[in-house]
Amino acid sequence: MASPPDDRGRFGAYGGRYVPETLMPAVAELEEAFAAAWADPAFRAELDELLRVYVGRPTPLTPARRLGERVGAEVYLKREDLCHTGAHKINNALGQVLLARRMGKRRIIAETGAGQHGVATATAAALFGLPCEVYMGTEDMRRQALNVFRMRLLGAEVRPVDAGSGTLKDATSEAIRDWVTNVEDTHYVIGSVVGPHPYPYLVRELQSVIGREARAQVLRAAGRLPDVAMACVGGGSNAIGLFAGFVDDPEVALVGVEAAGHGLASGKHAASLSAGRPGVLHGSYSYLLQDDDGQVEIAHSISAGLDYPGVGPEHAALKDAGRALYVSATDEAALAAMRLLAETEGIIPALESAHAVAALGEVLADRGPATIVVVCISGRGDKDMETVAAISAQPVPV
Amino acid sequence: MNRLERRLRDLRDRGGKAFAPYLMLGDPDLDASVALARDLAASGADAIEIGVPFSDPLADGPVIQAAGHRALSGGFRVEQAFAALGRLRAETEVPLLLMVYHTTVLQRPRFVEEAAAAGAAGLLVPDQPREESADLAARCRQAGMDLIPFVAPTSTDARIAAAAAEGGGFIYGISLTGVTGARAALSSRVPDLVRRVRARCDLPLLVGFGISGPEQAVAAAAQCDGVIVGSAIVAAHHEGGRERALASAASIRAALPRGT
């Protein structure tokens, strides 16, 4: 199993708690409450049961034979796109809403980028009858209009955030400001392995079900561990969840794929680990896109879920330790990969997940056809159809 | 004891209440913000809090967020803060404090030393709780500056005691759970917070967040040693220029006792 952070909430040098004093008692309370819940067999049993009968877990590990022929490897897809609500985000949201109920919190807030985490949180809040407000950047509301509609249908209030770039970074800041204000009765369901301790650890634990299942499934299907386990990385929750199952197996290479946007050289990308430096954003110390003064730069990705200038602190530690490798894929490559997976396997991935598929070529360049790769398909692509259709109306070089 | 704390204790001993206005450096440009700080100092402020613009200020409400973005859009660079401090320090004895987010300090290895050399009396880092402060506190001490501790209505008694034991200069009491910005009324949580701080230390206690006008300032200061006013002054400066900001500050200063 992946290790917990140290008692200061650090993975190596990264993580910590850079939040206003007002929130410190709340993060301490959350840390204690999560530790108690996670050690409580009754809590785990209730969550496991919900994951089974409500989310639809375990999700399949699908052998991707035609894709495998194209890329020259034995490829397995971990199908988080088949989770209820269409992405891995529900694993975390459901766990956190259960925890919030156990803590006696009466109100749920969340931030969302692509809208998948917002939908997942709205869903879990509806299931438990708790009021839910979701902060979302106005730019993201525009490009993920379908998810805005879904959240509203689920009874959540969607709060537009116009500040900054109107994307995930700004929505997260606004959600934290709400939490500072309403900290005593509100639980903030953060959507990725970011934020102050204990969030990066808590979210990883809730997402590690991906890796646990994938490890057992690939052993059953292929008879051995994979050579590579890979996933896309924005904040990095589906990747950290997948990695958790394999991090103690040194023979398994872990690969995270960041969004290279228009290309790393263009400066318009979201590749914090590949092209950023350590700094503090949203309560934790990790790699960050920033200028020389530490002003946070605006990320760019065609995929709203990866459009974030920071990254989870455990990824920063895995990178520095050399345990995981981080590469990147451009907008264009992700679009091509979405099409490739659709045409070869009949699976339309989210644009986020398409980044992981897009990096297969680079990752397999020095490996033979007997290579076994597990790729996490973190979500399904329905939400992206309008974005893709708008782009496809213009000539897209493939 | 550094000069900031001496000054605030002396004011308290004389029965006065401290007034510490906040402004955003570089809003709308560097010269205008330095001129505002100079005039605030000359018109009876007991300390000036100088905000260093940051792109993602988690503890700030819309008024201060917007001021920071105006400063950054105007091309503000952090290195300009030290020259600005130096200019101010040459003109005033009023203690100058820098309000700066943690990552800004982190990206500039000698930030603390440069701030001290330019004449800052203290630093306020609103997103750095004491658990993350040990290194910075030591560097500030070394440089002869105070790292001002924050306490909030949600702080436990143990956290207040620790802040009191480690802090210097004064204790910054956050009046409410929330971000900076004017509110209709003074937070009802001030009396309990003040009582809990007072039971644990006699450092000067200044209360801020949500205090925007003379009535709220008087009501808050009656319970502690002084007030910090930020968003109201930043908004007045943005809407009506230096004159309006100074008028806003003067109305608050005039309402607070100066002591004998």
Side-chain angles (χ1 to χ4, degrees), chain A residues 51-76:
Chain A
L51 290 175
R52 193 173 67 81
V53 303
Y54 188 70
V55 174
R57 303 208 72 93
T59 58
L61 186 75
T62 303
R65 296 202 176 82
R66 297 189 63 226
L67 174 67
E69 281 166 22
R70 291 283 283 271
V71 299
E74 192 176 331
V75 178
Y76 292 90

Side-chain angles (χ1 to χ4, degrees), chain A residues 87 108 129 161 221 242 284 314:
Chain A
I108 298 296
V161 179
L242 180 71
S284 72
E314 191 171 2

Side-chain angles (χ1 to χ4, degrees), chain A residues 44-364:
Chain A
R44 298 287 285 263
E46 185 176 8
L47 178 59
D48 286 349
E49 178 68 1
L50 279 170
L51 290 175
R52 193 173 67 81
V53 303
Y54 188 70
V55 174
R57 303 208 72 93
T59 58
L61 186 75
T62 303
R65 296 202 176 82
R66 297 189 63 226
L67 174 67
E69 281 166 22
R70 291 283 283 271
V71 299
E74 192 176 331
V75 178
Y76 292 90
L77 307 175
K78 181 57 177 164
R79 300 292 305 282
E80 294 301 298
D81 59 313
L82 294 179
C83 287
H84 177 45
T85 71
H88 73 293
K89 295 293 187 187
I90 190 77
N91 303 328
N92 168 51
L94 203 55
Q96 285 204 48
V97 170
L98 263 185
L99 182 62
R101 193 190 56 167
R102 183 183 163 108
M103 292 171 75
K105 301 291 182 185
R106 293 186 299 275
R107 176 173 172 265
I108 298 296
I109 58 170
E111 85 296 335
T112 198
Q116 291 301 110
H117 173 59
V119 167
T121 306
T123 297
L127 182 63
F128 289 100
L130 289 168
C132 175
E133 290 169 40
V134 181
Y135 289 90
M136 188 170 191
T138 46
E139 165 66 11
D140 287 342
M141 288 179 72
R142 184 190 62 74
R143 55 183 168 173
Q144 304 286 342
L146 178 64
N147 274 341
V148 174
F149 186 78
R150 291 170 77 199
M151 285 184 270
R152 289 181 172 148
L153 192 64
L154 289 159
E157 293 252 7
V158 179
R159 303 218 170 274
V161 179
D162 208 16
S165 50
T167 61
L168 180 54
K169 165 178 87 95
D170 312 290
T172 305
S173 294
E174 215 45 45
I176 293 174
R177 292 184 185 111
D178 179 313
W179 197 33
V180 175
T181 306
N182 302 295
V183 57
E184 285 145 311
D185 72 347
T186 296
H187 177 70
Y188 173 29
V189 181
I190 207 163
S192 191
V193 286
V194 300
H197 175 66
Y199 280 114
Y201 167 61
L202 184 166
V203 177
R204 180 196 76 194
E205 290 298 280
L206 292 171
Q207 292 293 3
S208 63
V209 64
I210 302 173
R212 265 198 313 278
E213 287 177 4
R215 189 176 192 280
Q217 289 166 323
V218 73
L219 283 174
R220 208 155 48 233
R224 68 170 177 92
L225 285 169
D227 300 291
V228 181
M230 58 194 291
C232 64
V233 175
S237 71
N238 91 91
I240 218 78
L242 180 71
F243 292 179
F246 300 101
V247 71
D248 291 337
D249 302 310
E251 65 269 42
V252 181
L254 306 177
V255 180
V257 185
E258 297 191 291
H262 295 331
L264 295 188
S266 72
K268 297 189 80 174
H269 59 78
S272 327
L273 290 161
S274 306
R277 291 179 292 117
V280 171
L281 177 66
H282 297 147
S284 72
Y285 177 62
S286 186
Y287 280 78
L288 187 59
L289 300 178
Q290 56 183 328
D291 70 11
D292 292 345
D293 277 352
Q295 309 294 351
V296 181
E297 290 177 332
I298 289 175
H300 170 86
S301 171
I302 190 173
S303 133
L306 303 183
D307 202 347
Y308 183 68
V311 66
E314 191 171 2
H315 284 296
L318 288 170
K319 173 189 161 81
D320 281 13
R323 178 62 189 96
L325 173 70
Y326 294 89
V327 299
S328 61
T330 61
D331 289 351
E332 205 177 285
L335 281 165
M338 174 188 255
R339 193 172 306 155
L340 176 66
L341 193 63
E343 288 173 0
T344 55
E345 300 294 337
I347 295 169
I348 301 175
L351 279 171
E352 289 77 9
S353 324
H355 285 73
V357 176
L360 272 168
E362 177 179 349
V363 169
L364 292 169

Side-chain angles (χ1 to χ4, degrees), chain B residues 1-66:
Chain B
M1 191 184 302
N2 294 328
R3 66 195 160 89
L4 169 66
E5 187 175 330
R6 262 202 311 278
R7 189 182 176 111
L8 294 174
R9 283 183 181 275
D10 177 56
L11 179 65
R12 175 166 72 188
D13 292 345
R14 292 185 287 112
K17 299 294 184 181
F19 170 54
Y22 168 101
L23 61 94
M24 179 63 78
L25 201 56
D27 174 35
D29 59 55
L30 199 63
D31 286 345
S33 60
V34 168
L36 175 62
R38 183 193 62 215
D39 291 355
L40 285 168
S43 62
D46 299 289
I48 312 273
E49 264 188 45
I50 299 172
V52 179
F54 175 52
S55 56
D56 296 82
L58 278 189
D60 286 307
V63 168
I64 292 179
Q65 285 176 48

Side-chain angles (χ1 to χ4, degrees), chain A residues 10 17 21-22 169 277, chain B residues 56-57 107 132 154-155 189:
Chain A
R10 302 249 171 191
R17 294 180 158 166
E21 169 64 18
T22 312
K169 165 178 87 95
R277 291 179 292 117
Chain B
D56 296 82
Q107 298 309 322
E132 307 287 359
T154 50
S155 301
R189 307 186 71 166

Side-chain angles (χ1 to χ4, degrees), chain B residues 131-144:
Chain B
E131 283 79 353
E132 307 287 359
S133 296
D135 295 353
L136 189 62
R139 284 171 61 200
C140 283
R141 258 196 307 279
Q142 183 81 27

